[in-house]
Amino acid sequence: MKAENTAILDPVTGWLILALFSALWIFLGWLWGRRAKQLDEFMLAGRNVGLSLAVATAMATWVTSNTTMAAPQLALQLGIWGMVGYSLGAIGLFMFAPLAKRIRELMPHGYTSGDFIRLRFGKTTWRIFLMISLFYAFGWLISLGMAGGVLINALTGIPYTYGMSVILFICVLYTLLGGLRAVIGTDFVQTIIIVCGVIILAYLAIDKVGFEAIHAGVQKERPELLNLLMPAAIMFLFNNLLFGVGEIFHSNVWWSRAFAFRSGVGFKAYTIAGVMWLPIPIVAGFIALAAPALGLNVPAADMVGPLVAAKLLGFTGAVLIFIVVFSALASSLDSLLAATGDLITQDIYRQHLRPHADEKELRKAAMVIISLLGVVTWLLCLPRLTTLAELLYFTGAFVASTIWPIVAGLYWQRANRKGAALAMLLGTCVGLYTYFAIGFYVAALVGAAVSMLIVVISTLIWPQSFDWQTLRNEDPL
Amino acid sequence: MDERPRTRNSLKTCQKNILFLSLLLPSYLWASVPVLNGPHETVNAGYFQLNWEGEGERFELQEQGGETQAGTRTLYTGPDTASAISGRADGSYRFRVRQINAQGQALSPWSQALTVDVVHHSLAKAFGFFLLGFLVFISTVAIVLAGTRHVSR
């Protein structure tokens, strides 16, 4: 079914923008990544990333298609609290700041989040963690690929398959060219584009429609969105917060950056990135509330942001939102490709298949794995099995169940492997049950709560003494 | 032998009559009725999506019901074939759709009405989950802060 019959831009304009920005990302990827010959350079940018690039990459990676498209969607569905609740995703960045410092100190030679779980909790817990982490990574990759295809189709009329294929191909190409160094460099440019674009759109929404008209429109057409006691929205608040915390705490996207940032940079970088990211979902979500005042039909909730922007600004707005979301998508896709590539190279290829592989072989393997990731993601994106938000929030129970095993593993000497494994398994299962029984807005919350309970009780029942030196001594290569 | 021309003549007369009568009838009797789809279960979060299938170029979507909207109102007229509905209070809402032309004139009868019941979760349940989430969050913050302080010592 073709829900949106009115593409704002013509396909030629769409292809032109795609070609222009694709060429830019590929050139920058080549430029910044041409010296990444060693494995450490390719996977962790030489472990020497300074503060400004560190802030930009943390922020740009966290501003995904989910922020620019799902934040307006949640404002449209859950109102004020949906908008505010989404911005609580910044808490994950704030809370990861001290963790990043601790990770860098504990594992100066670490490569992946999998390294930590394997050394801290043993192989069984590590394998459970890998399954969760890879499931989440694929969920996120597919949601990004799908978002690219949906956005390009809605704004330009270019068929979904073409748009999705182009965006995946471009991101795979420049990640291959330069590894994490290229990813971080392009993230810097993409951050500037995203921040400027969102500010311009919010200003225009207020200037062209006005607060009073927006408020009156929502009150008349969708009154519950202004209700601060909307039950689903109240449940959503901490669910989204914990989902964000789970995403950041477990994902190798954030761990690889903790390893890549220069010593002493991680804490400041994640804190500043959190402060800068916080207003983005509020601004992006606010744009959605202008829809009733504009008399705009929204065929699918996740398209409300681009539709309002295009309605407000016509051709210019559509071009602007296209560039902003294309940048947001690329900044997350490349990070995720690089980090998931690292995780598979280090934790599956090397640890499971080729334990004696040298640096050169691993460098080649990393490139092949990134290419394969692109191909698998492309194949899974082709059928458009589900919607963006459904796919994203389905992973909530999985990632939230890793919060406590990771935090306790980093700070509690007595946290044990059995408790960590049980916490991840039971947290995921109970969280998934509530996803189907109640709704997406409680799954992460319940998963985190169950996981917390198991970690606390298991630490009291089966205390284990862990030698922190085990983490420091390990040189994965 | 004389039967055939007479039959042919009567057939022609009949066709003319049908054509004449058809001009008197509303044009939408020839257009197919759109099919409106939406949630079949009770909606607990206040939002849902409606979509419809039909042959026309433009459609009109109407809503009736709810606590504040007693009358019928047009929600949308245009080419889209779906609409994301949200911000509805508890209540029973009826929706229907029809094909229209560019001037807004009906080209088909209204679809069969679709009734959507909105019953929000109870506030007790909502605050129960809120409290649980708050406890998990505060505990996580506490363990990170305590751990960081302990390590820095």
Side-chain angles (χ1 to χ4, degrees):
Chain A
M1 185 199 66
K2 195 180 173 189
E4 168 59 53
N5 285 322
T6 45
I8 301 115
L9 301 173
D10 61 287
V12 177
T13 312
W15 283 118
L16 271 174
I17 298 171
L18 273 177
L20 190 71
F21 278 86
S22 299
L24 178 68
W25 304 145
I26 291 169
F27 170 72
L28 293 176
W30 167 80
L31 186 73
W32 284 320
R34 65 197 153 143
R35 278 172 298 172
K37 303 290 179 211
Q38 305 299 315
L39 188 69
D40 238 28
E41 283 282 341
F42 187 76
M43 284 172 73
L44 297 172
R47 298 182 192 265
N48 198 30
V49 177
L51 186 61
S52 55
L53 281 176
V55 170
T57 189
M59 195 199 149
T61 303
W62 205 216
V63 179
T64 67
S65 58
N66 307 329
T67 316
T68 45
M69 288 168 84
Q73 172 186 347
L74 288 162
L76 186 81
Q77 292 177 327
L78 297 174
I80 303 288
W81 284 136
M83 197 166 70
V84 174
Y86 204 95
S87 72
L88 293 181
I91 303 288
L93 288 174
F94 292 135
M95 286 176 69
F96 195 67
L99 264 65
K101 188 168 179 267
R102 175 83 171 144
I103 289 164
R104 193 74 163 79
E105 285 166 2
L106 280 178
M107 301 181 72
H109 311 295
Y111 270 87
T112 67
S113 51
D115 284 340
F116 169 75
I117 298 288
R118 177 173 53 83
L119 294 168
R120 180 67 182 84
F121 291 126
K123 289 195 171 175
T124 308
T125 314
W126 171 53
R127 289 191 177 117
I128 295 168
F129 175 82
L130 280 181
M131 280 192 278
I132 290 175
S133 200
L134 289 175
F135 177 76
Y136 165 78
F138 269 108
W140 195 9
L141 275 172
I142 296 164
S143 82
L144 291 171
M146 276 172 51
V150 170
L151 171 91
I152 292 168
N153 176 248
L155 289 180
T156 67
I158 293 172
Y160 164 83
T161 311
Y162 294 172
M164 179 272 291
S165 306
V166 167
I167 201 158
L168 269 176
F169 177 74
I170 298 307
C171 290
V172 168
L173 191 62
Y174 78 78
T175 307
L176 281 177
L177 281 171
L180 191 62
R181 196 177 283 280
V183 167
I184 289 174
T186 49
D187 277 357
F188 188 78
V189 181
Q190 286 153 354
T191 299
I192 295 167
I193 294 174
I194 293 163
V195 172
C196 293
V198 170
I199 289 170
I200 291 170
L201 284 172
Y203 170 76
L204 287 166
I206 296 165
D207 188 52
K208 289 205 170 185
V209 187
F211 274 116
E212 280 183 23
I214 291 172
H215 183 266
V218 176
Q219 199 159 41
K220 182 169 174 267
E221 299 292 329
R222 301 174 190 251
E224 277 295 290
L225 297 186
L226 299 173
N227 181 6
L228 296 181
L229 291 176
M230 186 180 180
I234 291 170
M235 293 185 207
F236 170 76
L237 274 178
F238 279 106
N239 183 78
N240 195 62
L241 189 155
L242 292 167
F243 180 32
V245 171
E247 282 182 282
I248 293 179
F249 277 25
H250 96 283
S251 174
N252 196 48
V253 168
W254 309 99
W255 282 69
S256 63
R257 278 161 176 70
F259 294 128
F261 295 166
R262 194 180 299 150
S263 183
V265 163
F267 185 88
K268 287 181 204 158
Y270 280 108
T271 308
I272 299 170
V275 172
M276 286 178 70
W277 186 87
L278 186 75
I280 301 279
I282 295 181
V283 175
F286 175 74
I287 291 168
L289 297 180
L294 291 167
L296 197 66
N297 178 57
V298 183
D302 54 1
M303 285 311 300
V304 63
L307 288 174
V308 171
K311 176 87 175 178
L312 275 175
L313 285 167
F315 180 83
T316 319
V319 170
L320 189 63
I321 198 83
F322 191 174
I323 293 168
V324 167
V325 183
F326 185 38
S327 302
L329 278 167
S331 67
S332 304
L333 250 175
D334 59 10
S335 303
L336 198 53
L337 282 167
T340 312
D342 292 355
L343 192 70
I344 297 175
T345 306
Q346 175 65 14
D347 289 78
I348 295 180
Y349 183 80
R350 182 171 177 272
Q351 295 290 343
H352 284 90
L353 305 172
R354 301 275 300 165
H356 303 297
D358 61 13
E359 208 174 298
K360 204 175 164 188
E361 184 184 336
L362 290 172
R363 170 79 164 80
K364 272 186 190 163
M367 293 185 76
V368 173
I369 287 165
I370 289 170
S371 309
L372 286 175
L373 270 176
V375 173
V376 174
T377 306
W378 180 76
L379 287 172
L380 292 170
C381 282
L382 275 179
R384 281 181 82 174
L385 290 173
T386 182
T387 70
L388 214 62
E390 276 173 14
L391 181 69
L392 184 70
Y393 283 99
F394 186 72
T395 62
F398 290 82
V399 301
S401 71
T402 64
I403 297 173
W404 271 72
I406 285 170
V407 176
L410 281 168
Y411 292 109
W412 288 358
Q413 207 161 14
R414 292 182 175 183
N416 60 81
R417 52 184 67 189
K418 206 189 289 181
L422 275 174
M424 289 188 210
L425 280 176
L426 288 178
T428 301
C429 291
V430 181
L432 277 182
Y433 169 76
T434 56
Y435 176 92
F436 291 110
I438 298 170
F440 80 88
Y441 35 82
V442 292
L445 191 161
V446 172
V450 170
S451 168
M452 177 181 93
L453 206 64
I454 293 170
V455 168
V456 172
I457 292 171
S458 67
T459 306
L460 293 171
I461 297 175
W462 307 304
Q464 208 173 38
S465 187
F466 181 75
D467 181 7
W468 297 116
Q469 209 56 39
T470 313
L471 296 170
R472 287 193 187 95
N473 291 344
E474 168 87 1
D475 185 346
L477 301 177
Chain B
M1 293 289 282
D2 292 334
E3 287 292 309
R4 274 187 192 165
R6 201 181 297 161
T7 312
R8 213 175 285 147
N9 284 341
S10 62
L11 267 172
K12 275 185 182 172
T13 315
C14 187
Q15 281 171 343
K16 279 180 188 170
N17 287 342
I18 290 170
L19 188 67
F20 177 72
L21 281 171
S22 69
L23 291 172
L24 296 177
L25 291 169
S27 57
Y28 63 63
L29 282 187
W30 282 271
S32 64
V33 181
V35 178
L36 181 61
N37 302 305
H40 298 292
E41 291 134 17
T42 303
V43 172
N44 297 126
Y47 64 84
F48 49 93
Q49 192 195 34
L50 300 175
N51 59 70
W52 50 91
E53 293 154 39
E55 290 165 1
E57 295 285 308
R58 293 175 69 81
F59 300 90
E60 180 179 4
L61 174 69
Q62 281 196 340
E63 176 188 15
Q64 183 186 43
E67 284 175 0
T68 53
Q69 301 287 341
T72 303
R73 62 176 183 146
T74 296
L75 283 184
Y76 170 66
T77 53
D80 296 346
T81 54
S83 188
I85 310 290
S86 68
R88 296 299 189 269
D90 285 354
S92 194
Y93 300 84
R94 281 162 62 84
F95 298 92
R96 59 183 187 174
V97 69
R98 67 178 175 182
Q99 292 174 34
I100 56 168
N101 61 19
Q103 289 73 43
Q105 292 164 328
L107 292 179
S108 80
W110 288 107
S111 66
Q112 200 173 10
L114 175 82
T115 303
V116 180
D117 293 317
V118 176
V119 180
H120 283 272
H121 292 289
S122 70
L123 271 176
K125 189 200 266 185
F127 279 111
F129 278 108
F130 182 87
L131 193 65
L132 180 68
F134 178 73
L135 284 174
V136 177
F137 169 61
I138 286 295
S139 309
T140 314
V141 171
I143 174 179
V144 171
L145 288 179
T148 307
R149 189 174 296 171
H150 179 75
V151 169
S152 60
R153 271 187 207 150

